[in-house]
């Protein structure tokens, strides 16, 4: 159950935030700047490629794979981008138990596709740098002549292995968080220590060096200065969604309260918003312990249609209307959150320097008369017909990466706030 009073108590939020998730999100902009600077120092700025690779393979788990999805959305048809999730998980060898990596992740394995070869770029990304399966994957790729890039913490086993296979090593920037000096910290150890929660800021620590690389290789063509300006957008979001901002002025807190007691359907228009929706679903599960279904329009309308006519629909109440409900818990109801990128749309936030309303995504009223595609209009009609609440958030920034930063920042903070208010410490 959500304790909405905690949302307006910054001190209580800080006490409940045992692993500093809010601080990690607030530092995303700084991590992007550091990652870009270190990527240039590592040799990205000096790259002079002869042409684009045939395909890009992104190997890793968690946010590393989501960074690959975002790259695919930004690259479009310019290059094939394929994610390589773990293929299996095995037992951890005795000598590997010393690694600073969760035991389950240490035992995961990856397999290079049979078609991968010298014309394909392999990017291996890890926040821990101790997965033996990723080191083995790098060795496989080296044997096939694939160019390799490794994003991993400096000094990790994976970063060291990158030098052995002649890969380009790019550093993974860890969050700057205070040391845990609370003597009672042991009471908050994870229930599943081999499956710990992921660093909520890891996405940007992967995405910044990855996009710096793809810009140099011609895989993506972002607007000039887009990456450094993205760090500024993330800083602005951190201020807007900060813990000491009252819930009625903090859209992330408002969204968290709105999602309480509901089963969210996270719909998106377009692949970029789709990546933000998938990210939101993953963070709701990881940080708030809440199930959510993400999907791209128009397919989501077909895949999720049955939920509107079932027991979660807003108008569904098959039992006696006059029964006593005082001792019953509030029923879970369906709710739709629709994420969109509407570049240059009238009434949308302006780019920096174009007006005061340039702070993140805006809530789009259903009756504003703005033009909508067939799938979005049908989504509104479906929700209205079954008395299901639909909230539409859109970013009107012309730069797609800035629009992504808008949508991800809002939903990241909302997921963390929902988890903190639900647990109450």
């Amino acid at each position: 159950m959500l304790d909405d009073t905690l949302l307006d108590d910054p001190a209580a939020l800080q006490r409940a935030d045992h692993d500093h998730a809010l601080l990690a999100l607030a530092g995303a902009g700084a991590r992007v700047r550091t990652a870009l600077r270190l990527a240039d120092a590592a040799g990205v700025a000096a790259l002079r490629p002869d042409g684009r690779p045939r395909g890009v393979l992104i190997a890793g788990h968690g946010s590393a794979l989501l960074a690959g999805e975002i790259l695919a959305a930004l690259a479009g048809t310019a290059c094939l981008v394929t994610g390589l999730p773990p293929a299996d998980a095995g037992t951890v060898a005795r000598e590997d138990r010393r690694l600073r990596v969760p035991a389950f992740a240490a035992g995961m394995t990856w397999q290079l596709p049979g078609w991968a070869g010298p014309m394909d770029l392999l990017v291996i990304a890890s926040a821990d740098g101790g997965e033996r399966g990723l080191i083995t994957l790098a060795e496989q790729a080296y044997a096939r002549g694939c160019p390799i890039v490794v994003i991993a913490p400096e000094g990790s086993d994976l970063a060291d292995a990158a030098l052995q296979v002649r890969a380009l090593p790019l550093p993974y920037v860890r969050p700057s968080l205070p040391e845990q000096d609370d003597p009672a910290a042991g009471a908050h150890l994870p229930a599943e220590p081999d499956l710990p929660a992921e660093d909520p800021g890891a996405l940007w620590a992967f995405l910044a060096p990855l996009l710096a690389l793809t810009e140099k290789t011609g895989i993506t063509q972002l607007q000039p200065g887009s990456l450094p300006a993205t760090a500024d957008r993330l800083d602005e979001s951190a201020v807007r969604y900060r813990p000491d901002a009252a819930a009625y002025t903090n859209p992330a807190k408002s969204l968290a309260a709105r999602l309480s007691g509901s089963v969210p359907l996270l719909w998106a228009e377009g692949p970029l918003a789709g990546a933000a929706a998938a990210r939101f679903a993953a963070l709701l599960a990881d940080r708030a312990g809440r199930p959510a279904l993400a999907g791209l329009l128009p397919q989501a309308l077909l895949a999720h249609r049955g939920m509107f006519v079932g027991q979660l629909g807003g108008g569904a109440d098959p039992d006696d209307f006059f029964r006593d409900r005082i001792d019953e818990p509030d029923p879970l109801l369906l709710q739709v959150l629709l994420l969109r990128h509407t570049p240059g749309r009238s009434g949308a936030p302006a780019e920096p320097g174009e007006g005061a309303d340039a702070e993140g995504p805006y809530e789009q009223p259903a009756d504003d008369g703005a033009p909508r595609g067939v799938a979005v209009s049908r989504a509104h009609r479906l929700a209205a017909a079954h008395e299901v609440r639909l909230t539409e958030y859109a970013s009107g920034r012309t730069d797609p990466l800035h629009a992504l930063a808008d949508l991800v920042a809002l939903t990241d903070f909302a997921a963390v706030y929902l988890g903190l208010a639900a647990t109450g410490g």
Side-chain angles (χ1 to χ4, degrees):
M1 185 174 180
L2 182 77
D3 182 4
D4 53 1
T5 61
L6 189 143
L7 289 175
D8 278 329
D9 188 341
L13 286 172
Q14 184 176 4
R15 289 193 300 270
D17 192 9
H18 305 302
D19 60 351
H20 309 292
L22 290 173
L23 192 57
L25 293 178
R31 292 173 78 175
V32 168
R33 294 187 190 90
T34 302
L36 294 177
R37 174 173 53 82
L38 294 178
D40 282 349
V44 169
L47 288 177
R48 298 293 184 269
D50 294 332
R52 287 196 302 261
R54 176 181 63 178
V56 180
L57 300 163
I58 311 291
H61 55 88
S63 292
L65 294 176
L66 181 60
E69 292 183 27
I70 293 170
L71 172 60
L74 293 172
T77 59
C79 183
L80 174 66
V81 180
T82 305
L84 290 185
D88 199 358
T91 57
V92 181
R94 183 179 298 275
E95 59 271 17
D96 290 342
R97 294 175 186 171
R98 301 175 288 103
L99 300 174
R100 293 184 58 188
V101 58
F104 188 80
M108 292 191 296
T109 60
W110 283 259
Q111 182 61 49
L112 198 63
W115 51 262
M119 297 178 63
D120 305 300
L121 171 65
L122 173 64
V123 178
I124 300 176
S126 170
D128 299 299
E131 296 92 338
R132 290 297 188 193
L134 290 177
I135 296 174
T136 301
L137 181 68
E139 294 169 349
Q140 292 177 11
Y142 178 64
R144 293 203 205 169
C146 297
I148 307 169
V149 174
V150 171
I151 303 173
E154 291 181 320
S156 65
D157 283 9
L158 184 55
D160 294 341
L163 303 177
Q164 302 300 318
V165 296
R166 299 183 180 180
L168 173 63
L170 299 180
Y172 171 84
V173 179
R174 296 185 186 274
S176 298
L177 300 177
E179 293 292 332
Q180 180 62 266
D181 54 4
D182 182 0
H188 304 298
L189 291 176
E192 302 291 341
D194 66 328
L195 300 171
E198 188 180 28
D199 166 21
L203 173 63
W204 295 105
F206 287 131
L207 198 56
L210 178 62
L211 293 182
L213 172 73
T214 58
E215 281 292 282
K216 293 296 293 186
T217 54
I219 297 170
T220 55
Q221 294 183 347
L222 300 175
Q223 297 180 13
S226 177
L227 281 168
T230 298
D232 297 334
R233 303 290 81 73
L234 292 171
D235 286 346
E236 292 169 2
S237 296
V239 173
R240 190 182 190 197
Y241 308 138
R242 66 191 185 277
D244 62 348
Y248 67 89
T249 63
N250 187 326
K253 290 183 178 181
S254 300
L255 178 56
R258 185 177 300 168
L259 292 178
S260 175
S262 69
V263 176
L265 298 181
L266 309 178
W267 290 351
E269 182 186 38
L272 204 65
R279 159 75 170 185
F280 193 21
L283 217 60
L284 281 173
D286 193 31
R287 290 287 163 177
R290 302 298 179 93
L293 291 177
L296 269 175
L297 296 178
Q299 174 60 22
L301 293 172
L302 302 174
H304 299 162
R305 179 203 64 83
M307 301 189 68
F308 287 82
V309 299
Q311 295 183 1
L312 295 178
D317 189 3
D319 297 329
D320 179 12
F321 178 80
F322 295 101
R323 75 179 187 277
D324 187 1
R325 291 177 173 83
I326 294 179
D327 296 328
E328 296 182 7
D330 293 335
L332 286 175
L333 294 177
L334 206 59
Q335 184 172 175
V336 177
L337 183 71
L338 177 57
L339 302 181
R340 303 177 66 201
H341 177 209
T342 56
R345 181 63 53 82
S346 176
E351 290 289 344
E354 296 181 4
D357 190 23
E359 297 181 338
Y362 60 100
E363 187 173 336
Q364 184 90 44
D367 57 353
D368 64 346
R372 290 178 170 87
V374 173
V376 173
S377 298
R378 186 65 181 93
H380 278 275
R381 294 200 305 273
L382 178 64
H386 294 277
E387 302 177 24
V388 171
R389 181 172 188 171
L390 186 151
T391 307
E392 183 178 326
Y393 283 99
S395 175
R397 298 192 192 274
T398 56
D399 188 309
L401 188 57
H402 297 173
L404 176 75
D406 276 352
L407 296 173
V408 168
L410 169 67
T411 52
D412 277 3
F413 274 96
V416 171
Y417 279 130
L418 180 58
L420 296 178
T423 61

